[in-house]
Amino acid sequence: EIKEVHSKRTLSMVDAELHAIYSSTDESVMISSLHGFETIFKREDAIITLESERNRRVATIASTEVINGILEWMLEGWYFGEQHTPKSIKSKEVDLPAFSLRGSLADKALNVQIVSNTNAAIERAARSNDKTNESIQAIETNIRYGMFCLTFMYFRALHHVRKEKAIWCGHHDMVSMWRQPPMSDERKKMIEEQKNIQFRRARIEYSMDKARKGEEKKWRKEERERFEKTKYRWWDAKKKQADQRLAITVQRAFRGHLGRKVAKLRVMQRVEHDSANALVNSCALQISRVWRGHRGRMVSKYIRKEMADFLLALREEEARDEEEEYAAMQSLLRWK
């Protein structure tokens, strides 16, 4: 039941995360329902993984429910023997199938009689089985009690033998008080084994002490090497920083020198360009001045010539008119 509840809870978490991923537009998402801790996946991979996990959980739950339903149906149908229905199931009203309502009253009564006889036979067999089980349990109890009695008698006899051992071996006899009693081979073996145990314990302690000292020496050596490596790394870092600062200073000075040199060159080029422009402009001004003066003089000469020609023609016309007028006046004077 706990596993089923955990599976359904995991399915609910998977569905919630799958819905959140479908509604999200991020390229990477966080998933925690698969392994119990947060894991980063791509959106497409997360959707594929969660869908497969959801399908597997749904298939497991559905198959479990189907199998449980089949087993309950088979139990109710006595496929595994007689099964007494619980009270909670008996109290429910079950609709009878349509085929059970068919047939005559005799057939129905015969079926009821057969079922009743079968139930009675099963009950008698159950009662006989109960009696057999009771007899078997009684025999088992008697056997256990007998084994307990035998074990108790064995330990009691062993205790009496050990108690009388001192009397039978003659430890307290007057004859044997002046000397130690002879030791048995078993006692000698036990003493030898005890000495061996103490010797092995001492050797183990000696070996462990040497191993402990070796471990401490190795640890000190590793710590010293680690400290040396750390110091070397620190010196290397400081040296790299100093070299970097020196390289930056040299690069700054050289780049400043190159910049100043390029600036001077550009200033000289600018001055040359400006002087060339000024020379070209002055030359162009002089050429344009001379050309414009020449053109002006040519135009003024042409205009003066035109004006002189115009005045000359005008004076000639006036003289011609005056001559004509004079001739006319003279002719009138002669006619008078």
Side-chain angles (χ1 to χ4, degrees), residues 272-333:
E272 291 178 357
H273 184 265
D274 292 342
S275 60
N277 286 337
L279 180 61
V280 170
N281 290 332
S282 62
C283 292
L285 287 174
Q286 291 295 329
I287 292 170
S288 61
R289 180 179 62 77
V290 173
W291 175 252
R292 286 174 182 174
H294 173 68
R295 290 295 300 173
R297 286 190 294 275
M298 293 293 290
V299 171
S300 61
K301 183 179 180 181
Y302 175 75
I303 291 172
R304 284 196 298 271
K305 183 179 179 182
E306 290 291 333
M307 184 64 70
D309 294 338
F310 175 73
L311 293 175
L312 180 60
L314 184 60
R315 288 178 181 176
E316 288 179 353
E317 186 178 358
E318 288 179 355
R320 196 167 39 254
D321 290 338
E322 289 177 356
E323 288 177 359
E324 288 179 357
E325 186 177 357
Y326 178 75
M329 288 296 294
Q330 289 296 327
S331 62
L332 289 174
L333 289 176

Side-chain angles (χ1 to χ4, degrees), residues 250-272:
V250 171
Q251 291 176 3
R252 177 173 56 80
F254 184 69
R255 286 173 181 173
H257 171 67
L258 289 179
R260 289 188 292 273
K261 190 174 181 180
V262 171
K264 289 180 180 178
L265 182 61
R266 289 185 177 179
V267 168
M268 292 175 66
Q269 290 177 355
R270 183 67 179 271
V271 170
E272 291 178 357

Side-chain angles (χ1 to χ4, degrees), residues 140-154:
E140 186 178 358
T141 303
N142 294 330
I143 291 171
R144 288 180 179 177
Y145 181 72
M147 291 178 67
F148 170 74
C149 291
L150 289 173
T151 306
F152 180 74
M153 291 170 65
Y154 168 75

Side-chain angles (χ1 to χ4, degrees), residues 123-139:
E123 289 178 359
R124 285 195 299 272
R127 282 196 294 271
S128 63
N129 290 332
D130 293 339
K131 291 180 180 179
T132 304
N133 292 332
E134 289 177 359
S135 62
I136 291 172
Q137 288 178 1
I139 293 169

Side-chain angles (χ1 to χ4, degrees), residues 97-208:
F99 65 84
S100 63
L101 301 176
R102 300 172 184 174
S104 63
L105 294 176
D107 294 337
K108 294 180 180 180
L110 179 61
N111 292 331
V112 171
Q113 186 64 34
I114 291 171
V115 172
S116 178
N117 294 334
T118 305
N119 291 334
I122 292 172
E123 289 178 359
R124 285 195 299 272
R127 282 196 294 271
S128 63
N129 290 332
D130 293 339
K131 291 180 180 179
T132 304
N133 292 332
E134 289 177 359
S135 62
I136 291 172
Q137 288 178 1
I139 293 169
E140 186 178 358
T141 303
N142 294 330
I143 291 171
R144 288 180 179 177
Y145 181 72
M147 291 178 67
F148 170 74
C149 291
L150 289 173
T151 306
F152 180 74
M153 291 170 65
Y154 168 75
F155 283 109
R156 193 167 183 273
L158 185 63
H159 173 70
H160 281 293
V161 168
R162 288 179 179 176
K163 186 177 180 180
E164 298 295 333
K165 181 179 179 182
I167 298 173
W168 292 343
C169 66
H171 286 173
H172 301 287
D173 292 343
M174 295 301 295
V175 179
S176 62
M177 294 294 275
W178 60 275
R179 63 182 179 85
Q180 292 291 335
M183 288 191 299
S184 62
D185 296 336
E186 188 68 24
R187 173 59 62 181
K188 290 179 181 179
K189 289 181 181 179
M190 292 175 63
I191 293 172
E192 188 68 23
E193 186 65 27
Q194 189 68 26
K195 290 181 180 179
N196 293 334
I197 291 172
Q198 292 177 359
F199 177 73
R200 286 195 296 269
R201 186 180 294 113
R203 293 297 298 175
I204 290 171
E205 290 179 356
Y206 176 73
S207 300
M208 293 298 292

Side-chain angles (χ1 to χ4, degrees), residues 33-100:
S33 62
L34 293 178
H35 309 291
F37 53 87
E38 294 183 349
T39 310
I40 297 176
F41 284 87
K42 290 185 178 180
R43 187 171 180 273
E44 293 78 6
D45 297 340
I47 290 173
I48 294 171
T49 305
L50 290 176
E51 283 184 349
S52 62
E53 181 68 17
R54 183 192 62 182
N55 295 333
R56 187 177 68 84
R57 295 280 180 180
V58 170
T60 303
I61 293 171
S63 59
T64 303
E65 291 180 355
V66 170
I67 291 171
N68 289 335
I70 292 171
L71 291 175
E72 289 179 0
W73 176 75
M74 293 177 74
L75 285 174
E76 292 296 328
W78 293 359
Y79 282 85
F80 306 111
E82 184 179 0
Q83 179 72 19
H84 296 285
T85 305
K87 294 182 180 180
S88 61
I89 299 176
K90 287 181 180 179
S91 62
K92 296 180 181 179
E93 295 181 358
V94 181
D95 296 334
L96 296 174
F99 65 84
S100 63

